[in-house]
Amino acid sequence: MGGTFLRRWFALLDTAVMSMAGLRLISGLIEVSAAILMLIFNDVRKAMAVNAVLAIVGPTVLILTMSIGLINLADEISFSKLLFIGLGVGLILFGIYK
């Protein structure tokens, strides 16, 4: 009975939303795994190395989820609004790396 409910619920979900949520879940699992690795290594240098890898994961997931959303909204939003959204994402990344 529970399986039928879940199948119906998943059928109602937008594939873009499921993709975006899936990426965020994977990102969260990577973050938790990194925290566990830091505890296992119990070394500041190794923890910093793990943290450096995480600095790549966060912006990558941001770009991928925003891209999926923008691709799916492209036919509903004017080109100028898409440009402003893209500029906003670019400014976020600029702020992160500068």
Side-chain angles (χ1 to χ4, degrees):
M1 176 146 168
T4 305
F5 170 75
L6 284 177
R7 261 188 245 117
R8 287 183 191 162
W9 185 65
F10 278 123
L12 294 175
L13 289 176
D14 189 321
T15 54
V17 173
M18 284 184 20
S19 299
M20 293 169 75
L23 281 170
R24 285 293 172 187
L25 284 171
I26 291 169
S27 175
L29 289 171
I30 291 170
E31 295 273 347
V32 171
S33 299
I36 292 169
L37 282 175
M38 288 179 188
L39 292 171
I40 289 171
F41 291 146
N42 195 28
D43 180 30
V44 175
R45 286 189 178 95
K46 290 178 182 176
M48 291 293 290
V50 170
N51 202 47
V53 173
L54 288 179
I56 297 169
V57 173
T60 303
V61 171
L62 170 70
I63 291 168
L64 288 173
T65 55
M66 289 297 289
S67 297
I68 292 169
L70 288 175
I71 288 168
N72 282 278
L73 290 177
D75 58 342
E76 300 174 23
I77 296 179
S78 67
F79 181 73
S80 61
K81 287 183 181 179
L82 282 173
L83 200 62
F84 279 119
I85 293 170
L87 181 64
V89 173
L91 288 172
I92 290 170
L93 293 173
F94 178 78
I96 290 171
Y97 288 112
K98 292 295 175 176

